[in-house]
Structure formats: C-alpha cells, structure tokens
Amino acid sequence: MRYLPATRNTSEPVIYQQDSIGLADPEDRAFLAHGGYLAVLCDGMGGMQHGDVASQTAVRAILDAYAQKLPDESIPAALEARRPRSQ
C-alpha cells in the first residue's frame, strides 16, 4: 500500500509541530474494495520531547496494520489483531 503525505494549516505560529497525519492510497482500488479508505491523525505530546516521533510511530503502526487487513476482517478486528503486545 502506498501512503500519501498530508499537511495542515493553522492561523497560529507553531514552533515545533508534533502532530502527524497519514492517508491510505485512494488509487489502490483493489484494497479499497475490501478495506475502504483510512485517514489517521495522531496528536503530539504537548511539546514534550520526541512527541513528533511518538505521533509518527503511531500513524505508521496504524497504517501498516490496516494495510494487512484481510477481505473478511472488520477494520477494528484487523487493527486489534496486529496490535503490538506488551511483554
């Protein structure tokens, strides 16, 4: 699955942007037929150190799990099945 970059617009100046967004590929018709379209927005950590990395990691994890969805799986089931487990 190819991913599309996205951006945001704000009227207030942002010194350090931590939020991340990811979009599924709208041209992947085969996947869209069974998976639908997904847009993911992950908030940063309020200016805490490495909040950008945290939100980027979350977006990537969700999009990667979504890309592995099988035709007969619901989206929630697909994401849950591929959720990293704590040791």
Side-chain angles (χ1 to χ4, degrees):
M1 173 184 285
R2 180 175 64 109
Y3 303 109
L4 302 177
T7 187
R8 58 113 179 100
N9 187 5
T10 181
S11 60
E12 296 189 27
V14 175
I15 296 171
Y16 179 54
Q17 177 61 359
Q18 294 187 334
D19 302 345
S20 295
I21 187 171
L23 307 170
D25 183 359
E27 295 180 15
D28 186 348
R29 298 197 188 279
F31 186 82
L32 291 175
H34 82 270
Y37 186 78
L38 181 69
V40 179
L41 172 65
C42 292
D43 196 13
M45 295 175 23
M48 293 179 64
Q49 190 173 14
H50 305 297
D52 58 334
V53 175
S55 67
Q56 290 167 14
T57 300
V59 165
R60 173 61 52 205
I62 292 168
L63 289 173
D64 287 347
Y66 178 74
Q68 297 173 38
K69 180 191 170 304
L70 302 174
D72 60 343
E73 271 183 311
S74 70
I75 292 172
L79 296 177
E80 179 62 27
R82 290 155 188 88
R83 180 176 59 91
R85 306 290 184 222
S86 299
Q87 301 264 344

